[in-house]
Amino acid sequence: MGLSSRPLSLCFVIFCNLFLISHSLEFAFNGFNTSGVTMGGSTDIEASGALRLTPKTPNLIGHAFHRDPIPMFNSSPNASSFSTCFVFQILPDLASRGGFGFAFTLSPSPGFPGAEGGHYLGVFNSTNDGSSANHIFLVEFDTVNGYNEELDKDGNHVGINIDGMTPVASDSATYSVNGTRAKEEIDLESGDPVQAWIEYDGFGKLLNVTIAPIDSPKPIIPLLSESIDLSKVVKDSMYAGFSAATGQKYSSHYILGWSFKLNGIADPLNIDRLPFVPNVKSSSTSNVKLKNALIATFSVIIFLLLLALGGIFVYRRVLEFEHLEDWELECPRRFRYKDLYKATKGFKESEIIGIGGFGAVYRGVLEAHGTEVAVKKIMSNNALQGLREFAAEIESLGRLRHKNLVNLQGWCKHKKDLLLVYDYVPNGSLDSLLYTNSENGKIILNWEQRFSIIKGIASGLLYLHEEWERVVIHRDVKSPNVLIDAYMNARLGDFGLARLYDHGKNSHTTNVVGTIGYIAPELTRTGKASTSTDVFAFGILLLEVACGRRPVVCEAARNVILVDWVVECMQVGNIYDAVDPRLGSNYVSEEMEMVLGLGLLCSHPRAETRPTMRQVMRYLNGDEVLPVFDHLSASGSRRVDEITSRFLSLGLSESIITPVYNSSSSVGRVSTGSFHSGR
Ligand SMILES: *[C@@H]1O[C@H](CO)[C@@H](O)[C@H](O)[C@H]1NC(C)=O
Ligand SMILES: *[C@@H]1O[C@H](CO)[C@@H](O)[C@H](O)[C@H]1NC(C)=O
Ligand SMILES: *[C@@H]1O[C@H](CO)[C@@H](O)[C@H](O)[C@H]1NC(C)=O
Ligand SMILES: *[C@@H]1O[C@H](CO)[C@@H](O)[C@H](O)[C@H]1NC(C)=O
Ligand SMILES: *[C@@H]1O[C@H](CO)[C@@H](O)[C@H](O)[C@H]1NC(C)=O
């Protein structure tokens, strides 16, 4: 062995005479017998002479010490040099990786009373871990990661510890090959014997730890070489030994041979004479291999079966729907064109219930369930190219569910058309109810209904903006997009679609999608929709409902903008002049004031002045008073004057854009270019 040929170090020469004085300063065990060691816990010596610290059983602790104490100081303030060499073998449980490892220890007594197993390796417990009163030095061969995760990063590691389980130095279990820096990993619990050397130089105060496979010579470069002064740690008389522990995880820990020498180099072990520990690993490796082979075979068979089944399934689906793109296969809310065609009687003109900016809407009855649906047919359009990327978008919109939304049930792509299937809402749109009188000349919507419709729209919009998993900007809030169901509840439709429509445009001009009269001023400048541009449109909608007037009205060859008109009404008279005359005086004046005020605030030209939908909801529910209404006079004309002057001071009309626009239709897409003549 390389050990015997090592040149003697200076310190060895210095302490040479001391070594000659004492007798019990060196020992060597090539295999063990009960006469040499003191054992504790689960430790036993097998017939072969192998020292077994723990068997393969959970939650055990085993100790073994050399019978005689070691005098660590020889009338010197410095702890003595020592050297030790041993061979260990760890056989893990095959099912779970093993645990927890063992340690070489120097301790004041041949035992560790009160110690715990697991990560404490049977040396310390949670109370005395780290206490300098322990006077314990150890080198741990840890196989389980977990305790002190930052420091003991690698489960398979070697560490130098003083008085506790936090290592002074530690490193992954490796050895250097042929005196080079090249490191070869050693799996401590591979089941193969491993040789270890621990050498302390009491003069240089340096501790080296080295490991190597049993058939390799001692590496020249140690695994750990740490400057440590053991003089403060060790006591006059110390016991050298080993401690091992198991926990939830477990291995059997064996020491096959051990030599020790104070103030000198420990004798090399006679590897050939070491006891033999049956390594179950070798026999069960073939078992594992057999098992793996069987698993692999079955896996392949099952995989082939699944592949065949999958093939049949896909083949049948392809037969059923001819031109399926793969995204269509993945999306569950897809309807069959055939079914929608039948439901709408072949997209018959008589079934059209509305025409919006995106296309015609048909009423339909699905044969399968007998349920009524609204089918929106978005005509083939270049803007709808790149639909594939929007499959995810539609899929996500399809998951929106709220009582104040017209829920998207699914869709279908047919040739270049996109068909969107919605809940059918029977009472038509808000604008149709708002601007038509019933047969007997009475208005259709009274104030109570209008106020509850407003609250419904606000609640739907709040859900889109703040209460769903992501922010959905409606982009086209307007009265034709508010549908009224059988219970006169408002349901907001067409949400999120503008974005879909916007997509695929490769022109350089920014297109503003929205409807004249509802488009926030900053939207025409930046083209960027936001929750705040939705709030602007909602504000216009509030004024519309309160005033019974469209956002843009052509009067005497002049376009009258609703917001300007309301402000004008305030300037020349009072705010009540703006109220829908058809309501007469059948309304709650506080609610009316609040709706008009909120409408003006929401449609304020400066985006930062507009409230969020959550604030809007609080105002509508009466949880909070609109800031402009704070500390008003109790009632009467004075109150109205105050409201008027406060609103005018908000600068409502100063920058309202009055576009030159001559079209009778209020629905459509407007590009910034045409909107702002002269840009
Ligand atoms: C026990 O081991 C020691 C040292 O290896 C040896 O000298 C002694 O003879 C052994 N005793 C027995 C009974 O085997
Ligand atoms: C103890 O060690 C120091 C160096 O660490 C050395 O200077 C001193 O001489 C040593 N004392 C003895 C008595 O060996
Ligand atoms: C920890 O060990 C010490 C002895 O080293 C003992 O006095 C103490 O009771 C033990 N604590 C626990 C919690 O077991
Ligand atoms: C180590 O060096 C010896 C000769 O010095 C050479 O025969 C051997 O192959 C080397 N081993 C490795 C692993 O490099
Ligand atoms: C420890 O290792 C270094 C090489 O890293 C070596 O110079 C020194 O002599 C070794 N000390 C002992 C006590 O083996």
Side-chain angles (χ1 to χ4, degrees), residues 27-37 67 273:
F27 56 84
F29 298 104
N30 285 292
F32 295 83
N33 63 35
T34 46
S35 69
V37 291
R67 191 191 50 208
R273 279 180 52 208

Side-chain angles (χ1 to χ4, degrees), residues 503-572:
H503 181 81
K505 271 276 169 198
N506 49 6
S507 74
H508 299 293
T509 58
T510 315
N511 284 289
V512 175
V513 180
T515 303
I516 285 295
Y518 296 94
I519 300 170
E522 78 270 15
L523 187 55
T524 63
R525 285 195 300 273
T526 62
K528 201 171 174 300
S530 65
T531 52
S532 166
T533 58
D534 270 0
V535 170
F536 180 93
F538 175 76
I540 303 293
L541 195 56
L542 287 184
L543 296 180
E544 225 184 316
V545 172
C547 308
R549 281 172 72 101
R550 292 192 188 274
V552 182
V553 188
C554 191
E555 267 175 14
R558 181 175 86 96
N559 282 320
V560 179
I561 306 294
L562 181 56
V563 187
D564 293 353
W565 182 78
V566 174
V567 172
E568 236 175 76
C569 285
M570 288 202 298
Q571 278 169 333
V572 299

Side-chain angles (χ1 to χ4, degrees), residues 33-40 43 51 63-68 110 239:
N33 63 35
T34 46
S35 69
V37 291
T38 311
M39 297 181 290
T43 304
L51 179 75
H63 305 140
F65 299 91
H66 183 249
R67 191 191 50 208
D68 301 323
Y239 287 86

Side-chain angles (χ1 to χ4, degrees), residues 594-608:
M594 196 260 289
V595 168
L596 283 168
L598 190 56
L600 289 173
L601 203 64
C602 288
S603 56
H604 196 280
R606 283 197 307 273
E608 58 277 13

Side-chain angles (χ1 to χ4, degrees), residues 15 18-19 21-22 25 71-80 262-263:
F15 290 106
L18 292 169
F19 160 67
I21 298 162
S22 15
L25 293 178
M72 288 306 294
F73 295 92
N74 276 300
S75 57
S76 157
N78 300 330
S80 302
L262 198 64
N263 300 317

Side-chain angles (χ1 to χ4, degrees), residues 113-114 116 125 127-128:
E116 291 168 23
N125 62 33
T127 29
N128 69 8

Side-chain angles (χ1 to χ4, degrees), residues 118-401:
H119 291 291
Y120 293 106
L121 298 181
V123 180
F124 302 108
N125 62 33
S126 46
T127 29
N128 69 8
D129 182 22
S131 157
S132 60
N134 289 327
H135 294 283
I136 295 171
F137 162 78
L138 64 149
V139 175
E140 55 165 323
F141 297 81
D142 203 331
T143 56
V144 174
N145 189 14
Y147 178 82
N148 230 327
E149 291 203 30
E150 302 113 59
L151 295 161
D152 301 353
K153 281 193 189 73
D154 190 350
N156 187 51
H157 74 268
V158 179
I160 300 168
N161 299 33
I162 288 169
D163 290 334
M165 288 315 296
T166 308
V168 176
S170 83
D171 205 348
S172 303
T174 57
Y175 71 105
S176 74
V177 183
N178 264 2
T180 64
R181 295 264 156 205
K183 284 182 173 179
E184 201 72 40
E185 174 139 16
I186 294 182
D187 185 0
L188 297 178
E189 48 179 1
S190 66
D192 296 325
V194 178
Q195 193 165 11
W197 295 265
I198 298 167
E199 292 147 322
Y200 177 65
D201 174 355
F203 187 80
K205 300 188 170 59
L206 185 71
L207 186 95
N208 290 353
V209 178
T210 314
I211 56 170
I214 190 132
D215 46 4
S216 301
K218 185 189 177 201
I220 297 161
I221 301 170
L223 168 63
L224 296 169
S225 188
E226 193 71 14
S227 288
I228 283 176
D229 186 2
L230 287 183
S231 313
K232 297 278 166 344
V233 181
V234 296
K235 291 191 162 179
D236 282 347
S237 156
M238 297 292 277
Y239 287 86
F242 299 94
S243 178
T246 62
Q248 303 280 75
K249 298 175 172 187
Y250 44 90
S251 302
S252 53
H253 300 91
Y254 287 94
I255 305 293
L256 305 182
W258 177 26
S259 68
F260 183 94
K261 191 167 194 170
L262 198 64
N263 300 317
I265 295 160
D267 283 343
L269 296 168
N270 189 337
I271 302 300
D272 297 332
R273 279 180 52 208
L274 290 178
F276 173 74
V277 173
N279 185 356
V280 247
K281 192 195 84 177
S282 50
S283 63
S284 55
T285 309
S286 58
N287 273 343
V288 167
K289 274 182 186 155
L290 183 69
K291 227 191 262 171
N292 285 346
L294 283 176
I295 289 171
T297 313
F298 278 119
S299 305
V300 168
I301 292 170
I302 287 168
F303 177 74
L304 288 176
L305 275 175
L306 285 177
L307 208 65
L309 280 176
I312 291 168
F313 179 74
V314 168
Y315 181 68
R316 289 182 60 169
R317 287 213 57 166
V318 168
L319 275 189
E320 207 172 334
F321 319 105
E322 281 134 42
H323 306 292
L324 278 192
E325 288 177 23
D326 48 2
W327 69 263
E328 289 176 284
L329 276 175
E330 289 157 17
C331 298
R333 290 173 203 280
R334 189 183 165 278
F335 280 81
R336 294 196 298 185
Y337 182 73
K338 202 171 70 185
D339 294 344
L340 295 183
Y341 188 84
K342 260 192 208 157
T344 56
K345 299 178 184 165
F347 294 100
K348 221 169 147 185
E349 230 168 87
S350 65
E351 300 303 300
I352 292 180
I353 48 176
I355 294 185
F358 301 108
V361 185
Y362 298 82
R363 195 188 80 96
V365 180
L366 287 176
E367 229 173 31
H369 324 90
T371 51
E372 279 184 307
V373 288
V375 181
K376 175 165 279 198
K377 188 175 185 182
I378 299 175
M379 306 292 182
S380 70
N381 187 312
N382 287 340
L384 273 176
Q385 279 171 5
L387 190 63
R388 184 196 169 91
E389 289 124 74
F390 270 87
E393 177 77 15
I394 305 170
E395 169 65 21
S396 129
L397 291 179
R399 283 186 289 118
L400 282 159
R401 284 286 176 271

